[in-house]
CSV table of all heavy atoms in Angstrom, one decimal:
chain,number,residue,atom,x,y,z
A,52,LEU,N,61.6,-68.0,-7.1
A,52,LEU,CA,60.1,-68.3,-7.1
A,52,LEU,C,59.4,-67.3,-6.3
A,52,LEU,O,58.3,-66.8,-6.7
A,52,LEU,CB,59.9,-69.7,-6.7
A,52,LEU,CG,58.5,-70.3,-7.0
A,52,LEU,CD1,58.2,-70.4,-8.4
A,52,LEU,CD2,58.4,-71.7,-6.4
A,53,LEU,N,59.9,-67.0,-5.1
A,53,LEU,CA,59.3,-66.0,-4.2
A,53,LEU,C,59.3,-64.6,-4.8
A,53,LEU,O,58.3,-63.9,-4.8
A,53,LEU,CB,60.0,-65.9,-2.9
A,53,LEU,CG,59.8,-67.1,-1.9
A,53,LEU,CD1,60.8,-66.8,-0.7
A,53,LEU,CD2,58.4,-67.1,-1.4
A,54,SER,N,60.5,-64.3,-5.4
A,54,SER,CA,60.7,-62.9,-5.9
A,54,SER,C,59.9,-62.7,-7.3
A,54,SER,O,59.7,-61.5,-7.6
A,54,SER,CB,62.1,-62.6,-6.1
A,54,SER,OG,62.7,-63.5,-7.0
A,55,SER,N,59.5,-63.8,-8.0
A,55,SER,CA,58.8,-63.6,-9.2
A,55,SER,C,57.5,-62.9,-8.9
A,55,SER,O,57.0,-62.0,-9.7
A,55,SER,CB,58.5,-64.9,-9.9
A,55,SER,OG,57.6,-65.7,-9.1
A,56,TYR,N,56.9,-63.2,-7.7
A,56,TYR,CA,55.7,-62.5,-7.3
A,56,TYR,C,55.9,-61.0,-6.9
A,56,TYR,O,55.2,-60.1,-7.4
A,56,TYR,CB,55.1,-63.2,-6.0
A,56,TYR,CG,53.8,-62.8,-5.6
A,56,TYR,CD1,52.6,-63.5,-5.9
A,56,TYR,CD2,53.6,-61.6,-4.8
A,56,TYR,CE1,51.4,-63.2,-5.5
A,56,TYR,CE2,52.3,-61.3,-4.4
A,56,TYR,CZ,51.2,-62.0,-4.7
A,56,TYR,OH,50.0,-61.6,-4.3
A,57,THR,N,57.0,-60.8,-6.2
A,57,THR,CA,57.3,-59.5,-5.7
A,57,THR,C,57.8,-58.5,-6.7
A,57,THR,O,57.4,-57.4,-6.8
A,57,THR,CB,58.3,-59.5,-4.5
A,57,THR,OG1,59.4,-60.3,-4.9
A,57,THR,CG2,57.6,-60.1,-3.3
A,58,PHE,N,58.6,-59.0,-7.6
A,58,PHE,CA,59.2,-58.2,-8.7
A,58,PHE,C,58.0,-57.8,-9.7
A,58,PHE,O,58.0,-56.7,-10.2
A,58,PHE,CB,60.3,-58.8,-9.5
A,58,PHE,CG,61.6,-58.9,-8.7
A,58,PHE,CD1,62.4,-59.9,-8.7
A,58,PHE,CD2,62.0,-57.8,-7.9
A,58,PHE,CE1,63.6,-60.0,-8.0
A,58,PHE,CE2,63.2,-57.8,-7.2
A,58,PHE,CZ,64.0,-58.9,-7.2
A,59,ALA,N,57.2,-58.8,-10.0
A,59,ALA,CA,56.0,-58.5,-10.9
A,59,ALA,C,55.1,-57.5,-10.2
A,59,ALA,O,54.6,-56.6,-10.9
A,59,ALA,CB,55.3,-59.8,-11.2
A,60,ALA,N,54.9,-57.6,-8.9
A,60,ALA,CA,54.1,-56.6,-8.2
A,60,ALA,C,54.7,-55.2,-8.2
A,60,ALA,O,53.9,-54.2,-8.4
A,60,ALA,CB,53.9,-57.1,-6.7
A,61,ALA,N,56.0,-55.2,-8.1
A,61,ALA,CA,56.7,-53.9,-8.1
A,61,ALA,C,56.5,-53.2,-9.5
A,61,ALA,O,56.2,-52.0,-9.6
A,61,ALA,CB,58.1,-54.1,-7.8
A,62,LEU,N,56.7,-54.0,-10.6
A,62,LEU,CA,56.6,-53.4,-11.9
A,62,LEU,C,55.1,-53.0,-12.2
A,62,LEU,O,54.9,-52.0,-12.8
A,62,LEU,CB,57.0,-54.5,-13.0
A,62,LEU,CG,58.5,-54.7,-13.1
A,62,LEU,CD1,58.8,-55.9,-14.0
A,62,LEU,CD2,59.2,-53.4,-13.6
A,63,ALA,N,54.2,-53.9,-11.8
A,63,ALA,CA,52.8,-53.6,-12.0
A,63,ALA,C,52.4,-52.3,-11.2
A,63,ALA,O,51.6,-51.5,-11.7
A,63,ALA,CB,51.9,-54.7,-11.5
A,64,GLY,N,52.9,-52.1,-10.0
A,64,GLY,CA,52.7,-50.9,-9.3
A,64,GLY,C,53.1,-49.6,-10.0
A,64,GLY,O,52.4,-48.6,-10.0
A,65,VAL,N,54.3,-49.7,-10.6
A,65,VAL,CA,54.8,-48.5,-11.4
A,65,VAL,C,53.8,-48.3,-12.6
A,65,VAL,O,53.4,-47.2,-12.9
A,65,VAL,CB,56.2,-48.8,-11.9
A,65,VAL,CG1,56.7,-47.7,-12.8
A,65,VAL,CG2,57.1,-48.8,-10.7
A,66,PHE,N,53.5,-49.4,-13.3
A,66,PHE,CA,52.6,-49.3,-14.4
A,66,PHE,C,51.2,-48.8,-14.0
A,66,PHE,O,50.6,-48.0,-14.8
A,66,PHE,CB,52.4,-50.7,-15.1
A,66,PHE,CG,51.5,-50.8,-16.2
A,66,PHE,CD1,51.8,-50.1,-17.4
A,66,PHE,CD2,50.3,-51.5,-16.2
A,66,PHE,CE1,50.9,-50.1,-18.5
A,66,PHE,CE2,49.4,-51.5,-17.2
A,66,PHE,CZ,49.7,-50.8,-18.4
A,67,ALA,N,50.8,-49.1,-12.8
A,67,ALA,CA,49.4,-48.7,-12.3
A,67,ALA,C,49.4,-47.2,-12.1
A,67,ALA,O,48.3,-46.6,-12.2
A,67,ALA,CB,49.1,-49.4,-11.0
A,68,THR,N,50.5,-46.5,-11.9
A,68,THR,CA,50.5,-45.1,-11.7
A,68,THR,C,49.9,-44.4,-12.9
A,68,THR,O,49.4,-43.3,-12.8
A,68,THR,CB,51.9,-44.5,-11.4
A,68,THR,OG1,52.8,-44.8,-12.5
A,68,THR,CG2,52.4,-45.1,-10.1
A,69,TYR,N,50.0,-45.0,-14.1
A,69,TYR,CA,49.5,-44.4,-15.3
A,69,TYR,C,47.9,-44.4,-15.3
A,69,TYR,O,47.3,-43.5,-15.9
A,69,TYR,CB,50.0,-45.2,-16.6
A,69,TYR,CG,51.3,-44.7,-17.0
A,69,TYR,CD1,52.5,-45.3,-16.5
A,69,TYR,CD2,51.5,-43.7,-18.0
A,69,TYR,CE1,53.7,-44.9,-16.9
A,69,TYR,CE2,52.7,-43.3,-18.4
A,69,TYR,CZ,53.8,-43.9,-17.9
A,69,TYR,OH,55.1,-43.5,-18.3
A,70,PHE,N,47.3,-45.4,-14.7
A,70,PHE,CA,45.9,-45.5,-14.9
A,70,PHE,C,45.0,-45.5,-13.6
A,70,PHE,O,43.8,-45.4,-13.6
A,70,PHE,CB,45.5,-46.7,-15.7
A,70,PHE,CG,45.9,-48.0,-15.1
A,70,PHE,CD1,45.1,-48.6,-14.2
A,70,PHE,CD2,47.0,-48.7,-15.6
A,70,PHE,CE1,45.5,-49.9,-13.6
A,70,PHE,CE2,47.4,-49.9,-15.0
A,70,PHE,CZ,46.7,-50.5,-14.0
A,71,VAL,N,45.7,-45.7,-12.4
A,71,VAL,CA,45.0,-45.9,-11.2
A,71,VAL,C,44.1,-44.7,-10.8
A,71,VAL,O,43.0,-44.9,-10.2
A,71,VAL,CB,45.9,-46.3,-10.0
A,71,VAL,CG1,46.7,-45.1,-9.5
A,71,VAL,CG2,45.2,-46.9,-8.9
A,72,ASP,N,44.5,-43.5,-11.2
A,72,ASP,CA,43.6,-42.4,-10.9
A,72,ASP,C,42.8,-41.9,-12.1
A,72,ASP,O,42.1,-40.9,-12.0
A,72,ASP,CB,44.5,-41.2,-10.5
A,72,ASP,CG,45.1,-41.3,-9.1
A,72,ASP,OD1,44.5,-42.0,-8.2
A,72,ASP,OD2,46.3,-40.9,-8.8
A,73,ARG,N,42.7,-42.7,-13.1
A,73,ARG,CA,42.0,-42.4,-14.3
A,73,ARG,C,40.7,-43.2,-14.5
A,73,ARG,O,39.9,-42.9,-15.3
A,73,ARG,CB,42.9,-42.6,-15.6
A,73,ARG,CG,44.2,-41.8,-15.6
A,73,ARG,CD,44.0,-40.6,-16.3
A,73,ARG,NE,45.1,-39.7,-16.1
A,73,ARG,CZ,45.7,-39.0,-17.1
A,73,ARG,NH1,45.2,-39.0,-18.4
A,73,ARG,NH2,46.7,-38.1,-16.9
A,74,PHE,N,40.6,-44.3,-13.7
A,74,PHE,CA,39.4,-45.2,-13.8
A,74,PHE,C,38.6,-45.1,-12.6
A,74,PHE,O,39.1,-44.8,-11.5
A,74,PHE,CB,39.8,-46.6,-14.0
A,74,PHE,CG,40.3,-46.9,-15.4
A,74,PHE,CD1,41.7,-46.8,-15.7
A,74,PHE,CD2,39.4,-47.3,-16.4
A,74,PHE,CE1,42.2,-47.0,-17.0
A,74,PHE,CE2,39.9,-47.5,-17.7
A,74,PHE,CZ,41.3,-47.4,-18.0
A,75,GLU,N,37.3,-45.4,-12.7
A,75,GLU,CA,36.4,-45.5,-11.6
A,75,GLU,C,36.9,-46.7,-10.7
A,75,GLU,O,37.2,-47.8,-11.2
A,75,GLU,CB,35.0,-45.8,-12.1
A,75,GLU,CG,33.9,-45.7,-11.0
A,75,GLU,CD,33.7,-47.0,-10.2
A,75,GLU,OE1,33.4,-48.0,-10.9
A,75,GLU,OE2,33.8,-46.9,-9.0
A,76,ARG,N,37.1,-46.4,-9.4
A,76,ARG,CA,37.8,-47.3,-8.5
A,76,ARG,C,37.1,-48.7,-8.4
A,76,ARG,O,37.8,-49.7,-8.4
A,76,ARG,CB,37.8,-46.7,-7.1
A,76,ARG,CG,38.4,-45.3,-7.0
A,76,ARG,CD,39.9,-45.4,-6.7
A,76,ARG,NE,40.4,-44.1,-6.2
A,76,ARG,CZ,41.4,-43.4,-6.7
A,76,ARG,NH1,42.1,-43.9,-7.8
A,76,ARG,NH2,41.8,-42.3,-6.2
A,77,ARG,N,35.8,-48.8,-8.3
A,77,ARG,CA,35.1,-50.1,-8.1
A,77,ARG,C,35.4,-51.0,-9.3
A,77,ARG,O,35.7,-52.2,-9.1
A,77,ARG,CB,33.6,-49.8,-7.9
A,77,ARG,CG,32.8,-51.1,-7.7
A,77,ARG,CD,31.3,-50.8,-7.6
A,77,ARG,NE,30.5,-51.9,-7.3
A,77,ARG,CZ,29.9,-52.7,-8.2
A,77,ARG,NH1,30.1,-52.4,-9.5
A,77,ARG,NH2,29.2,-53.7,-7.9
A,78,VAL,N,35.2,-50.6,-10.5
A,78,VAL,CA,35.3,-51.4,-11.7
A,78,VAL,C,36.8,-51.9,-11.8
A,78,VAL,O,37.0,-53.1,-12.1
A,78,VAL,CB,35.0,-50.6,-13.0
A,78,VAL,CG1,35.4,-51.3,-14.2
A,78,VAL,CG2,33.5,-50.3,-13.0
A,79,LEU,N,37.7,-51.0,-11.5
A,79,LEU,CA,39.2,-51.3,-11.6
A,79,LEU,C,39.5,-52.4,-10.5
A,79,LEU,O,40.2,-53.4,-10.8
A,79,LEU,CB,40.0,-50.1,-11.3
A,79,LEU,CG,41.5,-50.2,-11.5
A,79,LEU,CD1,41.9,-50.7,-12.9
A,79,LEU,CD2,42.2,-48.9,-11.2
A,80,LEU,N,39.0,-52.2,-9.3
A,80,LEU,CA,39.3,-53.2,-8.2
A,80,LEU,C,38.7,-54.6,-8.5
A,80,LEU,O,39.4,-55.6,-8.4
A,80,LEU,CB,38.6,-52.7,-6.9
A,80,LEU,CG,38.9,-53.5,-5.7
A,80,LEU,CD1,40.4,-53.3,-5.2
A,80,LEU,CD2,37.9,-53.2,-4.6
A,81,LEU,N,37.4,-54.6,-8.9
A,81,LEU,CA,36.8,-55.9,-9.2
A,81,LEU,C,37.5,-56.6,-10.4
A,81,LEU,O,37.6,-57.9,-10.4
A,81,LEU,CB,35.3,-55.8,-9.5
A,81,LEU,CG,34.5,-55.2,-8.3
A,81,LEU,CD1,33.0,-55.0,-8.7
A,81,LEU,CD2,34.6,-56.2,-7.1
A,82,SER,N,37.8,-55.9,-11.4
A,82,SER,CA,38.5,-56.5,-12.6
A,82,SER,C,39.8,-57.1,-12.3
A,82,SER,O,40.2,-58.2,-12.7
A,82,SER,CB,38.7,-55.4,-13.7
A,82,SER,OG,37.4,-54.8,-14.1
A,83,LEU,N,40.6,-56.3,-11.5
A,83,LEU,CA,42.0,-56.8,-11.1
A,83,LEU,C,41.9,-58.0,-10.2
A,83,LEU,O,42.7,-58.9,-10.3
A,83,LEU,CB,42.7,-55.7,-10.4
A,83,LEU,CG,43.2,-54.5,-11.2
A,83,LEU,CD1,43.7,-53.4,-10.4
A,83,LEU,CD2,44.4,-55.0,-12.2
A,84,TYR,N,40.9,-58.0,-9.3
A,84,TYR,CA,40.7,-59.1,-8.4
A,84,TYR,C,40.3,-60.4,-9.1
A,84,TYR,O,40.8,-61.5,-8.8
A,84,TYR,CB,39.7,-58.7,-7.3
A,84,TYR,CG,39.7,-59.6,-6.1
A,84,TYR,CD1,40.9,-60.0,-5.5
A,84,TYR,CD2,38.5,-60.1,-5.6
A,84,TYR,CE1,40.9,-60.8,-4.4
A,84,TYR,CE2,38.5,-60.9,-4.4
A,84,TYR,CZ,39.7,-61.3,-3.8
A,84,TYR,OH,39.7,-62.1,-2.7
A,85,ALA,N,39.4,-60.3,-10.1
A,85,ALA,CA,39.0,-61.4,-10.9
A,85,ALA,C,40.3,-62.0,-11.6
A,85,ALA,O,40.4,-63.2,-11.7
A,85,ALA,CB,38.0,-61.0,-11.9
A,86,CYS,N,41.1,-61.2,-12.2
A,86,CYS,CA,42.4,-61.6,-12.8
A,86,CYS,C,43.3,-62.3,-11.8
A,86,CYS,O,43.9,-63.3,-12.1
A,86,CYS,CB,43.1,-60.4,-13.5
A,86,CYS,SG,42.2,-59.7,-14.9
A,87,PHE,N,43.4,-61.7,-10.6
A,87,PHE,CA,44.2,-62.3,-9.6
A,87,PHE,C,43.7,-63.7,-9.2
A,87,PHE,O,44.5,-64.7,-9.0
A,87,PHE,CB,44.1,-61.4,-8.3
A,87,PHE,CG,44.6,-62.1,-7.0
A,87,PHE,CD1,45.9,-62.3,-6.8
A,87,PHE,CD2,43.7,-62.6,-6.1
A,87,PHE,CE1,46.4,-62.9,-5.6
A,87,PHE,CE2,44.1,-63.2,-5.0
A,87,PHE,CZ,45.4,-63.4,-4.7
A,88,ILE,N,42.4,-63.9,-9.1
A,88,ILE,CA,41.8,-65.3,-8.8
A,88,ILE,C,42.2,-66.3,-9.9
A,88,ILE,O,42.6,-67.4,-9.6
A,88,ILE,CB,40.3,-65.2,-8.7
A,88,ILE,CG1,39.9,-64.3,-7.4
A,88,ILE,CG2,39.7,-66.6,-8.5
A,88,ILE,CD1,38.5,-64.0,-7.4
A,89,ILE,N,42.1,-65.9,-11.1
A,89,ILE,CA,42.5,-66.8,-12.3
A,89,ILE,C,44.0,-67.2,-12.2
A,89,ILE,O,44.3,-68.3,-12.3
A,89,ILE,CB,42.1,-66.1,-13.6
A,89,ILE,CG1,40.6,-66.0,-13.8
A,89,ILE,CG2,42.7,-67.0,-14.8
A,89,ILE,CD1,40.2,-65.0,-14.9
A,90,ALA,N,44.8,-66.2,-11.9
A,90,ALA,CA,46.3,-66.4,-11.9
A,90,ALA,C,46.6,-67.4,-10.7
A,90,ALA,O,47.5,-68.3,-10.8
A,90,ALA,CB,47.0,-65.1,-11.7
A,91,THR,N,45.9,-67.2,-9.6
A,91,THR,CA,46.2,-68.1,-8.4
A,91,THR,C,45.7,-69.5,-8.7
A,91,THR,O,46.4,-70.5,-8.3
A,91,THR,CB,45.4,-67.5,-7.2
A,91,THR,OG1,45.9,-66.2,-6.9
A,91,THR,CG2,45.7,-68.4,-5.9
A,92,LEU,N,44.6,-69.7,-9.4
A,92,LEU,CA,44.1,-71.0,-9.8
A,92,LEU,C,45.1,-71.7,-10.7
A,92,LEU,O,45.4,-72.9,-10.6
A,92,LEU,CB,42.8,-70.8,-10.5
A,92,LEU,CG,42.0,-72.1,-10.8
A,92,LEU,CD1,41.7,-72.9,-9.6
A,92,LEU,CD2,40.7,-71.8,-11.6
A,93,VAL,N,45.7,-70.9,-11.6
A,93,VAL,CA,46.7,-71.4,-12.6
A,93,VAL,C,48.0,-71.9,-11.8
A,93,VAL,O,48.6,-72.9,-12.2
A,93,VAL,CB,47.1,-70.4,-13.7
A,93,VAL,CG1,48.2,-70.9,-14.5
A,93,VAL,CG2,45.9,-70.1,-14.5
A,94,CYS,N,48.3,-71.2,-10.7
A,94,CYS,CA,49.4,-71.6,-9.9
A,94,CYS,C,49.2,-73.0,-9.3
A,94,CYS,O,50.1,-73.9,-9.4
A,94,CYS,CB,49.6,-70.7,-8.6
A,94,CYS,SG,50.3,-69.1,-9.1
A,95,GLY,N,48.0,-73.3,-8.9
A,95,GLY,CA,47.7,-74.6,-8.4
A,95,GLY,C,47.7,-75.7,-9.5
A,95,GLY,O,47.9,-76.9,-9.2
A,96,LEU,N,47.5,-75.3,-10.7
A,96,LEU,CA,47.4,-76.2,-11.9
A,96,LEU,C,48.8,-76.4,-12.5
A,96,LEU,O,49.0,-77.2,-13.4
A,96,LEU,CB,46.4,-75.8,-12.9
A,96,LEU,CG,45.0,-75.7,-12.4
A,96,LEU,CD1,44.1,-75.0,-13.4
A,96,LEU,CD2,44.4,-77.2,-12.2
A,97,ALA,N,49.8,-75.6,-12.2
A,97,ALA,CA,51.1,-75.5,-12.8
A,97,ALA,C,51.8,-76.9,-12.8
A,97,ALA,O,51.9,-77.5,-11.7
A,97,ALA,CB,52.0,-74.5,-12.2
A,98,PRO,N,52.2,-77.4,-14.0
A,98,PRO,CA,52.8,-78.8,-14.0
A,98,PRO,C,54.3,-78.8,-13.6
A,98,PRO,O,54.8,-79.9,-13.2
A,98,PRO,CB,52.7,-79.2,-15.5
A,98,PRO,CG,52.7,-77.9,-16.2
A,98,PRO,CD,52.0,-76.9,-15.3
A,99,ASP,N,55.0,-77.7,-13.6
A,99,ASP,CA,56.4,-77.7,-13.3
A,99,ASP,C,56.9,-76.3,-12.8
A,99,ASP,O,56.1,-75.4,-12.7
A,99,ASP,CB,57.3,-78.1,-14.5
A,99,ASP,CG,57.0,-77.2,-15.8
A,99,ASP,OD1,56.7,-76.0,-15.6
A,99,ASP,OD2,57.0,-77.7,-16.9
């Protein structure tokens, strides 16, 4: 359960190398942060 977070973060970091230097930083940061908030909220609602 702990490593699901870290392994996903590791894979996402590799994937991010494709686009992190291609987008305007502010838009990318705010968009990713909004998605992070939704995912964290879903963690609290998870039934099992």
Side-chain angles (χ1 to χ4, degrees):
L52 194 59
L53 286 175
S54 62
S55 66
Y56 189 100
T57 51
F58 286 142
L62 286 172
V65 174
F66 177 65
T68 59
Y69 276 87
F70 62 81
V71 74
D72 287 328
R73 302 265 170 140
F74 285 91
E75 192 272 303
R76 305 270 199 230
R77 179 180 184 269
V78 170
L79 187 60
L80 184 77
L81 296 178
S82 303
L83 288 168
Y84 195 47
C86 293
F87 162 79
I88 294 169
I89 293 165
T91 301
L92 188 61
V93 173
C94 288
L96 297 169
D99 53 36

